[in-house]
């Protein structure tokens, strides 16, 4: 009786029990060259000051778009790359889970707010990040003359659509799904 040279110490999830390594590799690899910029990923993305593009890798994140065939299936988190042109950002919002912004290239001013309008900001550069706790109003803006690229992660495989702090934006938050 021969012994296995390697032993998986944890079971595969049910959907991968009978999957080959080739099938797993084909499903769980995402390459930037194969991604399309989604300039309509969010309800606020068509508003001047909030224009940005999302490149979805794992899950759909806060955009609510969960059905694209080139997205790696999400288990317990999502991951996207955002392209933020100069002068653009996103609207103040919350999530039911934490959200992390990790700057890859350029500079980004991140902010946290209270419901009373108090705001604190910090500028992040390459290889710097912020983790925004669930329920805390937050967002970002690119205040430079160069584009910024950042990685965005949310702590759930299928998070709820972003809860915009603005009542007007909140009412339209699913409009980009049409």
């Amino acid at each position: 009786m021969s012994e296995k040279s390697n032993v998986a110490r944890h079971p595969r999830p049910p959907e991968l029990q009978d999957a080959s390594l080739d099938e797993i590799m084909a499903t769980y690899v995402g390459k930037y060259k194969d991604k399309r910029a989604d300039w309509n990923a969010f309800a606020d993305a068509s508003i001047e000051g909030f224009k940005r593009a999302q490149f979805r890798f794992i899950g759909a994140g806060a955009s609510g778009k969960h059905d694209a065939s080139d997205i790696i299936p999400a288990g317990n988190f999502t991951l996207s790359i955002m392209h933020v042109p100069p002068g653009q950002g996103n609207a103040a919002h919350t999530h039911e889970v934490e959200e992390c912004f990790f700057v890859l290239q350029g500079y980004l001013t991140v902010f946290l707010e209270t419901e009373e309008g108090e705001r604190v900001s910090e500028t992040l550069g390459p290889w710097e990040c912020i983790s925004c706790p669930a329920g805390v109003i937050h967002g970002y803006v690119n205040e430079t003359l160069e584009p910024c690229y950042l990685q965005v992660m949310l702590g759930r495989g299928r998070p709820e659509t972003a809860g915009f702090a603005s009542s007007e934006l909140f009412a339209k938050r699913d409009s980009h799904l049409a």
Side-chain angles (χ1 to χ4, degrees):
M1 180 164 132
S2 68
E3 281 198 33
K4 296 179 181 180
S5 60
N6 292 317
V7 177
R9 304 294 179 189
H10 299 88
R12 288 184 181 186
E15 67 273 14
L16 296 179
Q17 284 297 322
D18 298 319
S20 71
L21 293 180
D22 287 334
E23 291 168 327
I24 294 170
M25 189 69 78
T27 302
Y28 288 87
V29 169
K31 295 186 177 183
Y32 182 78
K33 70 178 181 67
D34 298 331
K35 301 296 177 188
R36 264 186 10 261
D38 184 351
W39 288 92
N40 188 33
F42 307 94
D44 65 338
S46 63
I47 300 169
E48 184 58 40
F50 301 138
K51 295 180 178 180
R52 63 203 184 279
Q54 180 183 44
F55 297 86
R56 286 183 282 286
F57 279 81
I58 300 174
S63 71
K65 295 181 177 181
H66 296 284
D67 59 354
S69 62
D70 66 339
I71 296 174
I72 297 170
N76 298 301
F77 67 94
T78 67
L79 184 138
S80 295
I81 301 297
M82 301 298 289
H83 168 94
V84 186
Q88 305 298 314
N90 66 1
H93 64 283
T94 61
H95 295 285
E96 81 282 14
V97 295
E98 69 271 26
E99 180 175 38
C100 178
F101 304 138
F102 187 97
V103 177
L104 301 170
Q105 179 182 324
Y107 292 86
L108 191 71
T109 300
V110 296
F111 62 83
L112 304 176
E113 288 185 355
T114 65
E115 291 181 338
E116 294 74 35
E118 176 188 354
R119 179 183 275 200
V120 295
S121 300
E122 180 85 22
T123 299
L124 302 177
W127 300 91
E128 297 178 337
C129 74
I130 182 173
S131 181
C132 306
V136 174
I137 299 171
H138 62 277
Y140 58 78
V141 62
N142 178 353
E143 298 177 322
T144 74
L145 299 176
E146 301 294 327
C148 179
Y149 288 87
L150 65 141
Q151 174 182 306
V152 178
M153 292 181 70
L154 282 119
R156 181 170 291 153
R158 284 183 73 100
E160 295 175 10
T161 304
F164 293 109
S166 158
S167 296
E168 182 181 333
L169 282 175
F170 184 76
K172 297 189 297 188
R173 73 182 183 153
D174 292 331
S175 63
H176 67 290
L177 298 174

